[in-house]
Amino acid sequence: MNYGMQRSLVSDGLPQLVNCIGGCGYKGDVRNHSLCSVCLRDVQSEAHGVSQEDVIKHLLALAGFNTIDEAKLDCAVARRRGSVSVAARDLVPLPGVRDWATSARPRTQFDEYPERGSTACTYIAGLCALWASALREIPDGEDWAKCITLGVSAFHTAKRENPEHCSGVVALPTALPFILRVAPFRYRQHLQPRETVLLLADPQDLGIVDAANTVGHCSDYSFGRPGLCEYFSKMFCPGAGAAAAAVVIVKPPETWCVAADERGRIGFRDSHRTTQLDF
């Protein structure tokens, strides 16, 4: 295959080049996975050693599924509905909710331009929360793309300094020092994230009596959906004495950000998907 013919051209007809993600110091082509020709050949050779099992796991993760059983269930739902299921496509807008997608790149953390960060969601969500807290506005359009770019940059910096910062579920306090390094504004307040753990099901339904104590469920809130409603009402509803400009939600394997602006608008920012929600 002639990969030289797959280049992305800018307005002057030249290929759109970026720093090669192979770390060789040369320029890569965004249409060739942001790799230079030498690194591309190396990766193509490595691809022959990738097992079908690894490919399936990779595709499941990109689609937002944790296991193949989840994907099978989603497929069965799609067949019953006679259409693509909700879980297999971007979020479906609800009444009072505006959905949108930016055309600016990167559009998600999986975008190869300018740099890919497949597991950078905590860093991106943290940057989004910092943005909302510092500027009292929700990043939209190009600003959201900038959040993704900066979050991915913070992720790679953390990974270079200590791979453990990027393995498994990353807590916000771990990511925060790296997020502050790339923040495009000064944040003068002392940042001390407050962690609240909520159990998404009743311990009796789980069959684990001491589940609340085991995970450290906050006793101020109920279990499951009622507890989520109580928590977010306290955080964001003006009548309840809103206490936060942003909340970073960690629900392995994904992390999201819910942010508010001075006008009372709420935004849900998800770096895994192109569709974002405002309400």
Side-chain angles (χ1 to χ4, degrees), residues 199-240:
L199 199 58
L200 300 182
D202 191 294
Q204 293 184 350
D205 295 335
L206 295 173
I208 306 175
V209 178
D210 61 344
N213 293 329
T214 301
V215 302
H217 175 85
C218 181
S219 59
D220 294 339
Y221 304 101
S222 305
F223 300 118
R225 181 177 295 180
L228 290 175
C229 293
E230 294 163 6
Y231 174 78
F232 282 106
S233 294
K234 181 178 180 180
M235 291 298 107
F236 292 118
C237 291

Side-chain angles (χ1 to χ4, degrees), residues 7 13-14 40 44 60 69 78 80 92 96 105 121 126 137 139 143 157 178 181 186 209 225 229 246 260:
R7 293 179 176 177
L14 297 175
L40 178 62
Q44 287 173 330
L60 287 173
D69 287 335
R80 178 68 63 89
V92 176
R105 294 185 66 186
C121 52
E137 64 181 35
D143 288 339
T157 299
F178 302 96
R181 293 187 195 179
R186 292 185 178 275
V209 178
R225 181 177 295 180
C229 293

Side-chain angles (χ1 to χ4, degrees), residues 36 60 65 67 87 96 110 114-115 131 144 149 157 162 186 210 212:
C36 69
L60 287 173
F65 299 114
T67 66
F110 306 110
E115 192 174 23
W131 187 294
W144 171 235
T149 299
T157 299
N162 187 345
R186 292 185 178 275
D210 61 344

Side-chain angles (χ1 to χ4, degrees), residues 21 34 58 62 106 108-125 147-157 159 166 253 271-272:
I21 63 172
S34 297
H58 178 66
L62 291 179
T108 72
Q109 66 193 43
F110 306 110
D111 201 323
E112 296 162 0
Y113 174 83
E115 192 174 23
R116 186 173 184 173
S118 299
T119 55
C121 52
T122 298
Y123 295 83
I124 297 169
C147 282
I148 297 175
T149 299
L150 294 174
V152 170
S153 176
F155 163 80
H156 285 293
T157 299
K159 187 175 182 178
C166 305
S271 60
H272 304 85

